[in-house]
């Protein structure tokens, strides 16, 4: 923890609130499941309990057994024990609410823990039942805490229809303002039919929901626009592919949120979603902003090479065969020259000419980029990146090295409730160390810890902060008429 000041002391020194854009509570499974059973039935409760067995079942295997079955090492000892007060705080929303001033936080958006895996459940009826029951019970837990805490509703995305149905229910019936959307989830490939389930789970593709999906998700984005919901993604990339060590959880954990967010952000961008829905904001949580800055630069560099103008420069038909033959005659050998003659001067048409059947030879066609400002409008403005407090790469969001000098929207995300925050008093002082060490300015910190979160949710829903403890300050950022603060 910072050796400088307590969270309350840091907060007292600021002229703006602190919004936690990604805190977590830890649902107490035995009680939570039975409450789900009462409101959503046995399928919801039993499915939820079964889903919670995945990690303990994996930890019950030996390293050799996990290796043989292709099962990744999971997180052990991931709940607070020495710090019992924090364990209770994670379990009990009311206790978290009462401790917010101590933690230096004015308002918090709270995401699930047990619920993080719900959008990935393969069985359609079970997934939808769990999501519905989960959202109802969560809303009940936080119902009387809304002036300082708001929970995220789970929005499954295997089909646009289920997403829209749960969006409608969560917002209109439960009053939810935040949605945790599924993304980068596995879809079973048709060729997996008939395979043993132990093998079939490897025969999957991963849906980034913006590009190459079997479904058209534009109706979902339109519904988000209609309901004033900014899609946020808390997707993971752990347990498969290059993050599936059977023995080392840290190997699997590092970078996995960034990996999933990277895929979704690319898919939405290259699929033209941010072009078609220019007023919609998207957030990618817990992976930091370093990857977001790198992706911004990578996309621009690839556009210069793979956009319409860049790819046209590589058109095989533009090859000057006469010049090539002259150079081969001068610098090559007889075998090379003879082969070129046999091929009518084309060195390798069978390799150069195929285009994979794409309808337009431009990977960025859906983005319709014509000017540098497009990059700000399509990426830097609508994308937000959840950053843990101790991540030194948070400074990259405010650095001059970003293309066009763009400021990337980093948002303070405490991750309280999880193992990587051994003490809930740590996040605010750790985040502020970047100011104390002069890596970012106080104005940068205001954006990071407050204003960017207001813009993420408030520009999508101007009433988002009405009745909250930060209503007046949020209204000033949004330039709207302030609402009466709940405590006034």
């Amino acid at each position: 923890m910072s050796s400088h000041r307590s969270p309350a002391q840091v907060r007292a020194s600021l002229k703006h609130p602190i919004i936690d854009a990604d805190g977590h509570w830890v649902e107490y499974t035995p009680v939570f499941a039975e409450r789900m059973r009462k409101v959503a039935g046995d399928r919801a409760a039993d499915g939820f309990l079964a889903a919670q067995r995945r990690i303990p079942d994996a930890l019950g295997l030996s390293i050799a057994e996990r290796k043989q079955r292709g099962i990744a090492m999971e997180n052990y000892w991931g709940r607070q024990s020495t710090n019992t007060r924090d364990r209770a705080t994670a379990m009990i929303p009311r206790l978290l609410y009462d401790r917010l001033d101590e933690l230096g936080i004015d308002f918090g958006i709270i995401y699930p823990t047990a619920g993080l895996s719900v959008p990935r459940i393969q069985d359609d009826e079970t997934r939808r039942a769990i999501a519905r029951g989960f959202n109802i019970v969560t809303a009940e837990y936080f119902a009387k805490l809304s002036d300082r805490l708001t929970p995220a509703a789970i929005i499954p995305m295997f089909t646009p229809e289920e997403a829209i149905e749960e969006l409608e229910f969560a917002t209109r019936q439960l009053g939810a303002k935040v949605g945790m959307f599924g993304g980068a989830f596995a879809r079973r490939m048709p060729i997996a039919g008939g395979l043993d389930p132990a093998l079939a789970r490897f025969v999957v593709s991963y849906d980034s929901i913006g590009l190459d999906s079997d479904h058209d998700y534009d109706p979902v984005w339109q519904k988000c626009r209609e309901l004033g919901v900014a899609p946020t993604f808390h997707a993971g990339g752990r347990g498969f592919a290059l993050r599936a060590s059977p023995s080392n959880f840290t190997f699997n954990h590092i970078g996995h949120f960034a990996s999933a967010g990277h895929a979704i952000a690319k898919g939405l961008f290259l699929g033209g979603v941010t072009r078609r829905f220019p007023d919609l904001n998207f957030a990618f949580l817990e992976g930091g902003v370093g990857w977001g800055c790198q992706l911004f630069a990578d996309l621009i560099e690839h556009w210069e090479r793979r956009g319409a103008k860049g790819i046209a420069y590589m058109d095989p038909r533009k090859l000057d065969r006469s010049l090539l033959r002259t150079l081969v005659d001068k610098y090559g050998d007889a075998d090379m020259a003879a082969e070129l003659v046999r091929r009518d001067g084309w060195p390798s048409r069978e390799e150069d000419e195929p285009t994979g059947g794409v309808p337009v030879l431009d990977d960025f066609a859906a983005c319709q980029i014509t000017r540098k400002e497009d990059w700000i409008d399509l990426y830097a403005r609508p994308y937000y990146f959840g950053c843990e407090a101790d991540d030194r790469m948070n400074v990259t969001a405010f650095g001059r090295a970003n293309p066009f000098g763009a400021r990337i929207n980093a948002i303070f995300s405490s991750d309280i409730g999880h193992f990587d925050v051994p003490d809930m008093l740590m996040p605010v002082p750790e985040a502020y160390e970047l100011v104390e060490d002069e890596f970012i300015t106080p104005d940068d910190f205001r954006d990071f810890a407050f204003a960017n979160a207001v813009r993420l949710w408030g520009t999508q829903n101007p009433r988002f902060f009405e009745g909250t403890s930060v209503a007046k300050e949020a209204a000033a950022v949004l330039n709207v008429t302030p609402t009466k603060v709940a405590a006034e």
Side-chain angles (χ1 to χ4, degrees), residues 93-95 97 107 141-150:
R94 179 72 204 189
L95 178 55
Y97 179 94
F107 186 80
Y141 268 101
F142 286 86
K144 297 181 180 180
L145 312 176
S146 61
D147 62 318
R148 300 197 68 179
L149 294 172
T150 193

Side-chain angles (χ1 to χ4, degrees), residues 81-302:
S81 298
T82 301
N83 193 334
T84 305
R85 190 161 180 250
D86 277 4
R87 175 70 168 267
T89 303
M91 293 169 58
I92 310 169
R94 179 72 204 189
L95 178 55
L96 172 59
Y97 179 94
D98 284 351
R99 291 190 64 194
L100 285 175
D101 288 339
E102 178 191 359
L103 306 183
I105 295 169
D106 293 89
F107 186 80
I109 290 87
I110 306 300
Y111 285 81
T113 297
L116 287 173
S117 63
V118 172
R120 300 195 297 272
I121 292 173
Q122 290 288 321
D123 182 75
D124 292 340
E125 291 187 19
T126 302
R127 179 181 63 252
R128 298 181 72 167
I130 295 174
R132 177 59 56 88
F134 189 97
N135 290 338
I136 294 172
V137 175
T138 297
E140 292 173 350
Y141 268 101
F142 286 86
K144 297 181 180 180
L145 312 176
S146 61
D147 62 318
R148 300 197 68 179
L149 294 172
T150 193
I154 294 173
I155 308 300
M157 290 277 281
F158 268 69
T159 68
E161 292 75 20
E162 72 173 349
I164 290 171
E165 182 178 323
E166 198 58 35
L167 263 174
E168 288 270 9
F169 178 81
T171 55
R172 299 191 191 279
Q173 301 299 317
L174 302 179
K177 298 187 289 187
V178 178
M180 185 189 81
F181 287 62
F185 50 82
R187 288 194 189 276
R188 295 280 167 81
M189 300 176 70
I191 59 174
L195 290 178
D196 183 286
L199 297 176
R201 71 184 185 88
F202 295 104
V203 188
V204 298
S205 60
Y206 289 88
D207 198 332
S208 65
I209 68 175
L211 185 70
D212 299 327
S213 178
D214 292 337
H215 299 279
D216 176 12
Y217 284 95
D218 277 8
V220 177
W221 314 134
Q222 179 57 41
K223 181 59 65 174
C224 288
R225 174 189 274 168
E226 175 189 326
L227 297 173
V229 174
T232 65
F233 301 93
H234 209 303
R238 191 181 83 238
F240 56 90
L242 299 178
R243 289 183 175 83
S245 165
S247 66
N248 196 300
F249 171 75
T250 295
F251 178 90
N252 300 331
H253 188 259
I254 289 177
H256 86 99
F257 285 120
S259 176
H262 197 273
I264 299 168
K266 279 190 299 185
L268 294 172
F269 183 88
L270 293 172
V273 174
T274 58
R275 167 61 75 185
R276 295 191 297 279
F277 298 88
D279 55 344
L280 204 58
N281 296 331
F282 301 87
F284 313 95
L285 300 174
E286 208 167 322
V289 73
W291 70 265
C293 295
Q294 183 176 11
L295 177 58
F296 186 43
D298 284 345
L299 285 168
I300 292 171
E301 292 162 4
H302 275 72

